[in-house]
Amino acid sequence: MTATDYDLELDARGLFCPEPVMMLHNRINDVQPGGVLRVLATDPSTTRDIPRFCQFLGHELVKQLEEDDLFIYLIRRGQ
């Protein structure tokens, strides 16, 4: 995954529920509609919360990866 795969990044490593999703709610507004935000998180609850966030608010969860204790999400901002 390269920087060209996303437009902005949110580093939520070390934060616990509900902080990563609260930060995501603010940061997604910094991305243009159709743009991609990469989220880095260490809280396992994000595997449940971030897909629900995307579904509820109309954003596309492009990719969800887990590398050791790191969760990586690529989210395409909806309209």
Side-chain angles (χ1 to χ4, degrees), residues 1-2 5-6 9-10 12-13 36-43 46-47 50-51 61-75:
M1 190 175 321
T2 66
D5 294 334
Y6 56 92
E9 182 174 85
L10 169 62
R13 292 178 284 188
V36 176
L37 175 66
R38 181 169 92 149
V39 180
L40 306 175
T42 50
D43 183 357
T46 60
T47 61
I50 289 181
L61 182 57
V62 176
K63 189 178 283 189
Q64 179 175 346
L65 302 168
E66 183 177 345
E67 296 178 359
D68 298 319
D69 292 331
L70 180 64
F71 303 97
I72 303 168
Y73 305 91
L74 291 180
I75 301 167

Side-chain angles (χ1 to χ4, degrees), residues 45-62:
S45 71
T46 60
T47 61
R48 174 196 66 227
D49 297 341
I50 289 181
R52 286 182 181 168
F53 170 89
C54 292
Q55 182 180 23
F56 185 73
L57 294 174
H59 305 300
E60 177 189 357
L61 182 57
V62 176

Side-chain angles (χ1 to χ4, degrees), residues 15-28:
L15 301 176
F16 296 98
C17 184
E19 289 177 296
V21 173
M22 289 172 56
M23 292 177 66
L24 172 55
H25 196 354
N26 292 326
R27 187 69 168 153
I28 197 75

